[in-house]
Amino acid sequence: MARVLIVEARFYAELNDMLLDGARTALQEAGHDYEIVTVPGALEIPGAVALAVETGEYDAFVALGVVIRGETYHFEIVAGESARGLMALALDGVPIGNGILTVENEEQALVRADREQKDKGGEAAKAALAMLALKSRFG
């Protein structure tokens, strides 16, 4: 049984609740324990994962959040830098599933967050477990 840490950004609480539902369901169905920590926004997710990695308490990580395009360049910074930070961790061998939605509007986010539709939270949890399995195989 793996210990998984879900790091969630609560900027869009209702959408994140939907992502959490999918991630929790996937981890429970796979028989793994999980904890949840909350950070203010998507930019803080990679830093929180990096801090948690240092503790050695967790086997895999799931990043959950929502970034919706606005009227300024801020969307590109948040979307790009959060993804870059997670990719840097993955390239260092951290098993992580990226469930940060980067969308044009709330409607797109709802479809992707809903467990009965695209279930990106569940997919992120499954990706983290798949990467953990690969780490075990190659590690």
Side-chain angles (χ1 to χ4, degrees):
M1 174 175 26
R3 291 203 20 92
V4 180
L5 181 66
I6 299 171
V7 180
E8 61 147 352
R10 293 298 295 176
F11 197 79
Y12 294 100
E14 180 183 333
L15 293 166
N16 229 69
D17 285 343
M18 296 170 75
L19 289 169
L20 272 171
D21 182 40
R24 286 179 179 145
T25 299
L27 293 171
Q28 289 168 349
E29 287 177 354
H32 298 290
D33 275 344
Y34 63 89
E35 288 183 42
I36 301 168
V37 296
T38 301
V39 296
L43 279 176
E44 290 78 31
I45 293 173
V49 171
L51 291 170
V53 166
E54 291 181 13
T55 70
E57 293 180 34
Y58 304 98
D59 303 304
F61 301 86
V62 179
L64 299 178
V66 179
V67 184
I68 298 176
R69 184 178 301 279
E71 297 177 6
T72 68
Y73 187 69
H74 187 67
F75 170 86
E76 282 81 5
I77 293 169
V78 175
E81 291 302 308
S82 61
R84 186 198 59 76
L86 294 178
M87 183 56 68
L89 290 162
L91 291 174
D92 283 342
V94 176
I96 190 162
N98 183 350
I100 300 175
L101 304 181
T102 52
V103 297
E104 297 292 326
N105 53 55
E106 190 171 340
E107 181 181 319
Q108 289 178 350
L110 283 167
V111 169
R112 285 156 180 78
D114 186 354
R115 194 162 60 89
E116 301 302 319
Q117 294 184 59
K118 299 229 179 221
D119 192 21
K120 295 299 182 180
E123 286 183 13
K126 291 173 185 175
L129 295 175
M131 295 307 292
L132 178 60
L134 281 176
K135 182 176 182 174
S136 296
R137 177 180 173 193
F138 296 131

